[in-house]
């Protein structure tokens, strides 16, 4: 947290502040791993670490190509239902991540050609569909939006002014390609796996918690949740400040309840049904408007 805040401080030069801020999570992982190693060598206090297989292979030893034709005919047809749920989940995950990454606050320009079906979000979804089909055939994990990491990535590419305000984003393909190339190297080569096997799980948990908290920046739900405890007379104005506070509070509490329900279902044995809950959210929105709990003009400001 201290290193991340250097970007808006007056210490060191601008280049040093930016690099320390951008690589704060990585620096935290390295320092945490070194401290854990020193504690293990001096006191014998061993922490659980990441576990990696010795070679790249399927878990059960099956062939790389999934024998789809070995399934009985009824199972092939029955798989259509869970496949539909998985498609909805992947679609929502990708679009939610894209919405966060392409937030107007980052002032990005590329990928905005709405007349080109292969530009921006349309191109992303097309490539994702091809990758999902390929990984399904060979039984590999599906490609996901990686919301937390993606949000941290675009924040690290943000261009800040002297006041710490975002004025633009260094849009490129190099950083994304390099990230995934290194992920692939960890799967293919033993040396990267050996290095990662030295990272304690508590260190990673702390980094993930930090990234999760920082990814809340810019989320309207988070801003309205904080607004439940703020004095409206002195709090900065938001886009929804003209909506009565009681209406804003009710809408925010409903949204927080939906998030809680989603988390509960996802962590339960019925986690595969979580896309159905997401699909019901538009009906809940319609019900709030129809019952006049939230008037339509207020809803347009709260849920733009």
């Amino acid at each position: 947290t201290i290193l991340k805040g250097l970007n808006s401080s007056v210490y060191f030069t601008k280049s040093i502040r930016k690099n320390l801020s951008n690589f704060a999570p990585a620096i935290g992982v390295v320092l945490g791993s070194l401290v854990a190693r020193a504690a293990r060598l001096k006191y014998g206090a061993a922490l659980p670490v990441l576990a990696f297989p010795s070679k790249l292979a399927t878990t059960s030893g099956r062939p790389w190509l999934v024998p789809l034709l070995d399934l009985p005919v009824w199972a092939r047809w029955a798989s259509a239902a869970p496949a539909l749920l998985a498609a909805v989940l992947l679609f929502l995950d990708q679009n939610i991540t894209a919405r966060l990454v392409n937030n107007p606050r980052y002032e990005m320009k590329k990928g905005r050609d709405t007349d080109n079906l292969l530009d921006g979000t349309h191109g992303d979804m097309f490539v994702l569909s091809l990758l999902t089909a390929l990984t399904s055939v060979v039984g590999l994990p599906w490609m996901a939006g990686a919301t937390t990491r993606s949000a941290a990535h675009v924040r690290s590419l943000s261009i800040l002014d002297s006041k710490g305000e975002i004025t633009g984003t260094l849009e490129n393909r190099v950083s994304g390609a390099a990230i995934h190339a290194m992920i692939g190297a960890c799967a293919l080569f033993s040396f990267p796996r050996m290095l990662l096997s030295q990272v304690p799980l508590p260190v990673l948990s702390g980094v993930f918690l930090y990234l999760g908290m920082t990814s809340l920046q810019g989320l309207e739900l988070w801003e309205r949740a904080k607004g439940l405890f703020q004095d409206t007379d002195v709090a900065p104005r938001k886009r929804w400040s003209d909506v009565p506070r009681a209406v804003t509070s009710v809408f925010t509490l409903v949204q927080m309840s939906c998030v809680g329900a989603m988390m509960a279902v996802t962590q339960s044995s019925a986690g595969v049904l979580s896309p159905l809950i997401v699909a019901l959210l538009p009906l809940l929105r319609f019900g709030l408007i129809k019952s006049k709990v939230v008037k339509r003009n207020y809803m347009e400001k709260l849920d733009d």
Side-chain angles (χ1 to χ4, degrees), residues 55-67 134-141 187-188:
K55 61 180 180 178
L56 179 62
T58 57
T59 304
S60 61
R62 62 164 177 81
W64 277 107
L65 288 178
V66 177
L134 177 63
T135 53
S136 298
V137 171
V138 296
L140 290 176
L188 296 174

Side-chain angles (χ1 to χ4, degrees), residues 3 20 70 127 133 147 151 173 175 179 272 302:
L3 292 179
L20 287 176
D70 289 353
V127 173
T147 307
R173 293 183 175 90
S175 57
I179 289 171
V272 70
L302 291 169

Side-chain angles (χ1 to χ4, degrees), residues 37-256:
R37 180 176 176 82
R40 183 174 74 251
L41 294 176
K42 187 172 183 178
Y43 302 106
L47 294 175
V49 297
L50 285 173
F52 286 91
S54 58
K55 61 180 180 178
L56 179 62
T58 57
T59 304
S60 61
R62 62 164 177 81
W64 277 107
L65 288 178
V66 177
L68 298 176
L69 297 181
D70 289 353
L71 285 173
V73 176
W74 68 265
R76 303 176 199 173
W77 286 101
S79 64
L84 179 61
L85 295 178
V88 172
L89 184 61
L90 288 173
F91 179 84
L92 292 173
D93 179 71
Q94 176 66 19
N95 279 278
I96 290 172
T97 303
R99 184 70 178 268
L100 291 174
V101 169
N102 294 305
N103 192 300
R105 67 193 290 260
Y106 295 118
E107 302 288 342
M108 289 191 286
K109 306 298 181 185
K110 298 179 181 178
R112 306 282 179 173
D113 187 358
T114 57
D115 296 327
N116 186 350
L117 292 179
L118 294 181
D119 189 64
T121 304
H122 297 296
D124 287 347
M125 193 59 65
F126 176 69
V127 173
L128 178 65
S129 64
L130 296 180
L131 291 174
T132 302
L134 177 63
T135 53
S136 298
V137 171
V138 296
L140 290 176
W142 289 326
M143 185 71 178
T147 307
T148 301
R149 179 176 61 78
S150 298
H153 179 214
V154 73
R155 281 198 305 273
S156 68
L157 297 173
S158 299
I159 302 173
L160 306 178
D161 59 15
S162 57
K163 298 180 181 178
E165 300 292 332
I166 297 176
T167 59
T169 300
L170 185 60
E171 301 180 59
N172 71 97
R173 293 183 175 90
V174 176
S175 57
I179 289 171
H180 289 86
M182 287 189 286
I183 294 175
C186 294
L188 296 174
F189 305 110
S190 59
F191 182 71
R193 291 200 299 270
M194 183 272 294
L195 290 179
L196 290 178
S197 65
Q198 305 300 314
V199 179
L201 289 179
V203 173
L204 284 182
S205 298
V207 171
F208 291 150
L209 177 61
Y210 164 77
L211 291 176
M213 293 300 296
T214 55
S215 66
L216 293 175
Q217 298 175 12
L219 290 181
E220 291 188 357
L221 174 59
W222 177 246
E223 295 298 326
R224 283 188 275 103
K226 293 191 297 182
L228 294 174
F229 308 97
Q230 293 176 350
D231 184 354
T232 55
D233 294 333
V234 296
R237 287 186 60 81
K238 302 292 184 180
R239 181 175 52 80
W240 55 86
S241 295
D242 295 333
V243 178
R245 180 165 187 172
V247 176
T248 303
S249 300
V250 169
F251 181 74
T252 302
L253 292 173
V254 169
Q255 279 193 308
M256 294 172 65

